[in-house]
Amino acid sequence: MKPSIPKGTRDFSSSEVAKRNYIFNTIKHAFENFGFQPIETPSFENSSTLMGKYGEEGDRLIFKILNSGDYLKKVDEALLTEKNSLKTTSKISEKALRYDLTVPFARYVVQHQNDITFPFKRYQIQPVWRADRPQKGRFREFYQCDADVVGSKSLLQEVEFVQLYDTVFSKLGLNGATIKINNRKILSGIAEVIGAKDKLIDFTVALDKLDKIGKEGVVKEMLEKGIPEDAIVKVDPLFNFSGTNQDKLASLQEMLQASDEGLAGVQELRTVVEMIEEIGLASASLTLDVTLARGLNYYTGAIYEVAPPEGVKMGSIGGGGRYDDLTGIFGLKDVSGVGISFGLDRIYLVMEELNLFEEVELPKPRVLFLNFDEAENLSKIKAIKKLRAHNIKSELYPDTATSNKQEKKQWKYVGSRDIQYVVTTIKNDMFVLKDMVNGEQTTCSLDELISKVQ
């Protein structure tokens, strides 16, 4: 059979890895500059940790891991005959690949609460898995780069995350990114004033798909979920909200007069928007988007989503929000948190489309010792050891040339890897060194060689 990889996964070449590492390092530097500390969690969690935290749609996208051994042996035969996959899954799978980094982080906080100083600022850069339908910019295995703060309800955190997004995208050259912001309290308030408060989850899940399925698709889904037609008519102005952020805030203030929760959300947004207007952003713009819902159930306050620069056809390249009691599901009450995520894989595709990657230099030896005489190899290996001790990347071509053709092959290797310094031979502890840039060839001692190539 021809070898293949699962749909929604990818191999990465050396140059692709180098480009991805450039993005990783840029994000990591910004995280640490803003005071976040790194943690890591396992690739898989107990199913009970993940299930029920992402809504019905999210739960369906979680990759389950089969129990080891004869996992069907303990399953009741009647259940197998029934062929009910939902009931059977819980019997044959107790673990699952993580869907995101936020829920595992909440579990981490609860387990390690006695070792953490609050407010706790953490960052985490690891892969996640989702059983989604693969398409451009959407993969089944991808990296998330998260930063979160738990243990503080201050809106200063929301302001800082807008600045963090702006800092990273500016450094990557992604000028013109749009940071969309909304507040779940506003959405709850809207659901309340249109008489659909009992359908809040259905309302927000449908609204969050506006950019994917359009107004007609959203209306259709709301009707299918049992949201009354007169309620949908009342929400119609949301689809055409326009003007400045201040104009939108004024309109929301008027629309939500009958909802205390909605007004609280408006005031929180006003605080963030006005502070950012005063501070200013380097290259991104902050836009109030009242249709932004973020489908995940655990958001309770501010919600973010980042769109790439105009003209690039790609979904969001970042997102996040505030969750007031996510740790409560694991037994630790009243620990508010807020966090954002960078979608590395989509950021990579956007940067590639905009030709933002400079030429990346792959790891290569500073000095290559050619292998034309097997009797010299021990001396060359000893020299390489000393060079490496001085942090000079060095290596010996592994195969000894026994013909002119094989010698040419070694010189071709030098050219293809763009290696600057080549040691051709050793005579009486003196090294014949060639600089491939200027063609200069010298004979020198090992100490002199080290001095030349450092």
Side-chain angles (χ1 to χ4, degrees):
M1 284 181 64
K2 186 178 179 181
S4 63
I5 57 174
K7 286 183 179 179
T9 64
R10 293 150 298 156
D11 290 322
F12 298 105
S13 68
S14 299
S15 61
E16 288 170 329
V17 169
K19 291 174 183 176
R20 286 165 65 86
N21 283 341
Y22 166 69
I23 301 173
F24 280 134
N25 292 336
T26 301
I27 295 172
K28 180 181 175 182
H29 180 268
F31 283 165
E32 294 184 353
N33 201 29
F34 275 65
F36 293 88
Q37 302 173 42
I39 69 162
E40 291 189 358
T41 59
S43 298
F44 56 94
E45 298 270 352
N46 292 324
S47 297
S48 57
T49 299
L50 303 178
M51 297 299 289
K53 313 303 189 301
Y54 306 103
E56 188 179 329
E57 289 198 14
D59 281 355
R60 284 202 298 268
L61 301 181
I62 293 174
F63 275 109
K64 284 79 174 177
I65 300 173
L66 290 174
N67 295 339
S68 57
D70 190 357
Y71 51 84
L72 287 177
K73 192 172 184 179
K74 295 179 181 178
V75 182
D76 185 83
E77 197 168 325
L79 192 58
L80 292 174
T81 305
E82 191 181 335
K83 294 184 179 179
N84 187 316
S85 59
L86 292 177
K87 289 181 182 178
T88 308
T89 299
S90 62
K91 305 292 184 183
I92 64 175
S93 173
E94 297 168 356
K95 300 175 187 67
L97 293 175
R98 60 173 172 240
Y99 176 92
D100 72 353
L101 299 178
T102 306
V103 170
F105 172 54
R107 189 265 309 149
Y108 176 95
V109 170
V110 174
Q111 276 194 252
H112 301 275
Q113 58 186 288
N114 295 327
D115 306 315
I116 291 172
T117 301
F118 293 98
F120 179 46
K121 299 177 72 172
R122 87 80 166 89
Y123 77 83
Q124 196 170 346
I125 300 176
Q126 288 186 279
V128 298
W129 294 266
R130 296 182 185 177
D132 218 338
R133 185 172 64 85
Q135 52 187 289
K136 183 185 178 184
R138 182 172 294 172
F139 307 100
R140 288 176 172 171
E141 178 186 61
F142 57 96
Y143 267 81
Q144 284 190 339
C145 310
D146 282 16
D148 288 76
V149 183
V150 291
S152 171
K153 294 184 178 181
S154 170
L155 292 175
L156 294 177
Q157 308 296 348
E158 274 84 337
V159 173
E160 185 167 72
F161 280 124
V162 174
Q163 292 178 285
L164 180 55
Y165 267 140
D166 180 51
T167 297
V168 169
F169 291 126
S170 297
K171 287 187 175 180
L172 291 174
L174 279 170
N175 300 329
T178 302
I179 305 167
K180 300 176 184 179
I181 189 170
N182 198 11
N183 194 297
R184 269 298 180 106
K185 292 173 184 173
I186 288 174
L187 294 170
S188 295
I190 292 169
E192 182 182 344
V193 298
I194 66 171
K197 193 167 185 178
D198 60 327
K199 296 284 186 179
L200 176 61
I201 299 300
D202 293 328
F203 173 72
T204 54
V205 167
L207 193 62
D208 194 50
K209 297 176 182 176
L210 182 64
D211 61 336
K212 301 182 187 76
I213 61 177
K215 177 183 172 181
E216 287 186 12
V218 170
V219 170
K220 182 183 177 185
E221 183 165 327
M222 286 183 175
L223 289 170
E224 288 172 352
K225 294 291 185 178
I227 296 173
E229 193 167 346
D230 61 329
I232 296 173
V233 171
K234 290 178 186 175
V235 89
D236 189 69
L238 289 181
F239 298 118
N240 302 298
F241 242 44
S242 60
T244 66
N245 288 336
Q246 293 295 347
D247 292 337
K248 293 172 185 175
L249 286 167
S251 298
L252 286 170
Q253 182 85 23
E254 188 176 332
M255 181 187 292
L256 296 171
Q257 285 300 316
S259 171
D260 290 341
E261 186 178 12
L263 290 175
V266 173
Q267 186 52 47
E268 287 180 13
L269 264 188
R270 179 174 282 114
T271 299
V272 175
V273 167
E274 290 181 351
M275 287 191 79
I276 290 297
E277 286 177 350
E278 192 68 31
I279 296 165
L281 297 175
S283 69
S285 60
L286 180 66
T287 301
L288 171 52
D289 183 349
V290 291
T291 64
L292 176 62
R294 303 286 295 168
L296 301 180
N297 288 347
Y298 52 64
Y299 290 126
T300 55
I303 41 180
Y304 304 98
E305 197 159 275
V306 185
E310 205 170 324
V312 179
K313 292 183 178 179
M314 182 65 66
S316 63
I317 55 176
R322 179 168 287 278
Y323 40 90
D324 275 336
D325 195 28
L326 186 60
T327 57
I329 56 180
F330 300 118
L332 183 61
K333 297 290 184 183
D334 301 319
V335 179
S336 185
V338 59
I340 60 171
S341 179
F342 291 83
L344 171 107
D345 299 273
R346 287 186 176 181
I347 291 171
Y348 180 100
L349 292 173
V350 172
M351 290 183 66
E352 202 168 50
E353 185 172 331
L354 296 174
N355 295 314
L356 293 177
F357 286 113
E358 295 180 9
E359 184 121 3
V360 291
E361 187 169 309
L362 299 177
K364 63 182 180 183
R366 178 79 169 155
V367 184
L368 179 74
F369 288 71
L370 298 181
N371 190 344
F372 295 164
D373 185 350
E374 193 171 353
E376 295 178 355
N377 284 351
L378 183 57
S379 298
K380 288 177 179 177
I381 290 171
K382 288 179 178 178
I384 287 170
K385 181 180 179 182
K386 191 167 182 180
L387 285 166
R388 288 174 177 167
H390 283 77
N391 292 317
I392 300 169
K393 296 175 183 175
S394 315
E395 64 181 63
L396 171 65
Y397 192 89
D399 302 311
T400 304
T402 57
S403 67
N404 188 47
K405 183 179 179 182
Q406 289 178 357
E407 287 184 11
K408 286 181 178 178
K409 184 180 179 183
Q410 293 191 27
W411 284 112
K412 187 177 179 181
Y413 180 83
V414 171
S416 64
R417 293 199 65 189
D418 195 27
I419 299 168
Q420 181 173 357
Y421 292 104
V422 176
V423 174
T424 56
T425 187
I426 304 175
K427 294 177 182 177
N428 301 320
D429 293 327
M430 297 298 284
F431 297 77
V432 178
L433 177 70
K434 184 170 183 178
D435 186 331
M436 300 302 293
V437 173
N438 58 28
E440 182 183 323
Q441 185 166 297
T442 55
T443 301
C444 54
S445 68
L446 183 56
D447 289 338
E448 288 171 335
L449 188 155
I450 290 170
S451 180
K452 280 179 180 289
V453 303
Q454 268 184 326

